[in-house]
Amino acid sequence: MLTLFDTLSKSKKDINISSRPVRLYSCGPTVYDHAHIGNLRSFIFADTIARTLEYNGQEVDWVMNITDVDDKTIKKTIEEFGENATPNELKQLTTRHAKTFLADLEALNIDTKRIRFINVSDVIPQIQEFILGLLDKGYAYTADDGSVYFNIEKYQADFKDYGELVGAGFIEGKKVGARVAVDEYEKDNLSDFALWKARHTDDGQIFWTHDKLADGRPGWHIECSVINNIAFDGQPTDIHTGGIDLIFPHHTNEIAQSQPFYKPFSAHWTHSGHLLVDNKKMAKSAGSYLTLSNLQKKTALAGPTLRYLCLQNDMRNQQNFTDEAFEAARNGLQRLYGTYESASSDDKAEVLEKFSSSLNNDLNTAEAVAVMHASGLSKASMDTMDKVFGLGLGQTAAELPSEVAELAKSRQDARDSKDFAKSDELRTQIETLGYEVKDTNDGQKVTKK
Ligand SMILES: [Zn+2]
């Protein structure tokens, strides 16, 4: 059984669900730009949780929102299409970025077909109804411009737990009652936040109507409360994942918005740490914003390599990305591909036991990767482990150094033209470089000796 650290209770808890699929929710991407590799790491983290649960024999119902309506997507749409942009133009822009995001996930060997994606733009009526429900219960109020805000003071009086995801007593000594209209803000600016933002000139023609609400659009935080609620039929979520930067205000506000309807909102909260690039937070202005397509210029196997690099570390902790670390991961993965090719046929049950106990111990992937590197593993064991790691063993051909690849190509040409003397000579050259050539029905296979 998987034991995972829970951010809310600050303790390790078992994921002990067997009678039904585990309800797993991941805060998805805001589709206004390419995701950076730090964002992608949080999805590798969630995918590893899903795969570990399945390895344990549990079914998983994995849901992810696509944030296609928020401050950032609207701002980008106005920049690109001008102030007359409508929800149609917003859709054009976000569909384009969502496609890139899905392609990134696939390149990371995250099977997008097994995730239930829900676009915010497809659930606006449900968001409106949810907000009306909060107004009805007194946890929200309408401001002069028609925007609807969450009432933290009222919530705190009834539930006494606002901000506990950050830490116990988070709200103590903080002034409440001020309002904040933007989606993202710092802890010091703790304020009533917008659930529904009345139409504003900055939003162009992007707004939705409702007979009980002003023309406008939802705030960011309410989106996830509603999508969890819809996806899991009002039942508590079992595991909610996201990057550590989402703890406040996003996840804190998700809890507050949802608990007036049901508690707990999520039984388990798990967060992945930041990925720094050269010890700096990723920022476009600093030139440290790295996407998967940047890495794909270095290697066609950038997806599995990044995945491997993340698995080598505890993904709950902060990790530093450097070119050297990526190169080392690339070599490590190549070694693993090589080990797989020459794997023995004996099986070692205790190896799999060690593998699964590492994973189930709060997702200790670093230790589990070390188990996979152990010598003498069978292909069957490695296949089993790769069901969790998703590194593509056996499906992805190892990369050959360019020198070897060129010799291999010449040798194939020589064989095609039946010049066997030349083909044999090239085989010897390839072997001198430490590679082995086998001629199979599917053509020649070159692997590391
Ligand atoms: Zn979210």
Side-chain angles (χ1 to χ4, degrees), residues 356-371:
S356 99
S357 68
S358 301
L359 282 173
N360 284 321
N361 178 15
D362 201 17
L363 218 66
N364 191 340
T365 54
E367 200 173 90
V369 165
V371 173

Side-chain angles (χ1 to χ4, degrees), residues 308 328 330-340 373 448:
Y308 179 76
R330 189 175 169 181
N331 292 331
L333 183 60
Q334 291 305 314
R335 269 204 310 282
L336 218 43
Y337 285 157
T339 310
Y340 181 82
H373 272 289
K448 206 161 169 54

Side-chain angles (χ1 to χ4, degrees), residues 25-28 65 67 220-221 223-225 228 240-241 246 250-251 254:
Y25 184 86
S26 300
C27 277
N65 67 301
T67 298
W220 171 35
H221 314 299
E223 301 174 350
C224 280
S225 286
N228 274 270
H240 194 122
T241 79
L246 295 183
H250 188 56
H251 289 166
E254 278 185 46

Side-chain angles (χ1 to χ4, degrees), residues 1-2 4 14-25 46 49-54 56-63 114 116 231-232 236-241 266-268:
M1 190 195 307
L2 175 62
L4 264 187
D14 293 338
I15 309 297
N16 186 11
I17 297 154
S18 55
S19 57
R20 55 166 177 81
V22 175
R23 298 188 279 258
L24 174 67
Y25 184 86
I49 292 174
R51 285 168 175 262
T52 301
L53 291 167
E54 284 169 346
N56 289 342
Q58 286 160 291
E59 272 182 73
V60 180
D61 179 11
W62 187 8
V63 175
R114 55 94 34 102
R116 287 203 283 147
F232 302 129
T237 303
D238 294 313
I239 309 175
H240 194 122
T241 79
S266 176
H268 206 112

Side-chain angles (χ1 to χ4, degrees), residues 369-384:
V369 165
V371 173
M372 200 190 210
H373 272 289
S375 58
L377 294 187
S378 71
K379 262 200 173 75
S381 292
M382 292 185 84
D383 283 335
T384 305

Side-chain angles (χ1 to χ4, degrees), residues 122-384:
D122 291 333
V123 296
I124 300 285
Q126 290 94 321
I127 292 174
Q128 291 169 324
E129 289 311 310
F130 199 96
I131 293 171
L132 289 171
L134 284 170
L135 279 165
D136 263 359
K137 286 176 180 286
Y139 295 102
Y141 59 90
T142 308
D144 290 344
D145 70 343
S147 295
V148 179
Y149 285 86
F150 189 79
N151 186 337
I152 294 180
E153 199 172 357
K154 158 79 173 156
Y155 174 84
Q156 185 60 9
D158 294 350
F159 290 88
K160 302 178 176 61
D161 65 0
Y162 185 82
E164 278 189 5
L165 196 61
V166 185
F170 168 78
I171 204 169
E172 277 167 29
K174 289 203 169 68
K175 198 173 78 152
V176 292
R179 282 183 216 147
V180 56
V182 290
D183 288 333
E184 291 181 79
Y185 51 93
E186 299 298 320
K187 292 188 188 91
D188 295 342
N189 301 333
L190 168 69
S191 300
D192 289 350
F193 52 92
L195 302 171
W196 186 255
K197 303 187 188 194
R199 193 177 161 187
H200 190 278
T201 47
D202 289 351
D203 293 352
Q205 303 300 315
I206 300 171
F207 63 90
W208 285 263
T209 59
H210 187 282
D211 57 3
K212 290 187 187 140
L213 291 170
D215 290 356
R217 46 105 172 181
W220 171 35
H221 314 299
I222 194 71
E223 301 174 350
C224 280
S225 286
V226 175
I227 291 176
N228 274 270
N229 184 268
I230 299 170
F232 302 129
D233 280 331
Q235 301 298 310
T237 303
D238 294 313
I239 309 175
H240 194 122
T241 79
I244 200 165
D245 50 324
L246 295 183
I247 293 177
F248 186 90
H250 188 56
H251 289 166
T252 293
N253 291 347
E254 278 185 46
I255 295 172
Q257 294 159 152
S258 302
Q259 289 199 154
F261 299 101
Y262 55 102
K263 193 179 166 181
F265 164 56
S266 176
H268 206 112
W269 288 89
T270 183
H271 292 95
S272 53
H274 281 299
L275 184 66
L276 304 179
V277 170
D278 295 330
N279 281 313
K280 287 192 280 285
K281 252 185 110 169
M282 267 180 265
K284 286 218 163 120
S285 50
S288 57
Y289 192 97
L290 272 185
T291 65
L292 192 60
S293 65
N294 295 139
L295 300 181
Q296 280 161 338
K297 291 184 187 118
K298 295 176 196 277
T299 163
L301 295 179
T305 304
L306 180 63
R307 192 171 177 114
Y308 179 76
L309 179 62
C310 292
L311 287 166
Q312 279 180 307
N313 290 270
D314 181 344
M315 284 183 271
R316 267 214 330 279
N317 292 336
Q318 181 170 294
Q319 186 178 349
N320 186 32
F321 180 95
T322 60
D323 285 342
E324 293 73 30
F326 186 72
E327 212 41 54
R330 189 175 169 181
N331 292 331
L333 183 60
Q334 291 305 314
R335 269 204 310 282
L336 218 43
Y337 285 157
T339 310
Y340 181 82
E341 287 307 323
S342 56
S344 68
S345 55
D346 300 334
D347 232 341
K348 287 184 177 177
E350 69 272 16
V351 173
L352 284 177
E353 276 165 32
K354 174 76 185 140
F355 173 79
S356 99
S357 68
S358 301
L359 282 173
N360 284 321
N361 178 15
D362 201 17
L363 218 66
N364 191 340
T365 54
E367 200 173 90
V369 165
V371 173
M372 200 190 210
H373 272 289
S375 58
L377 294 187
S378 71
K379 262 200 173 75
S381 292
M382 292 185 84
D383 283 335
T384 305

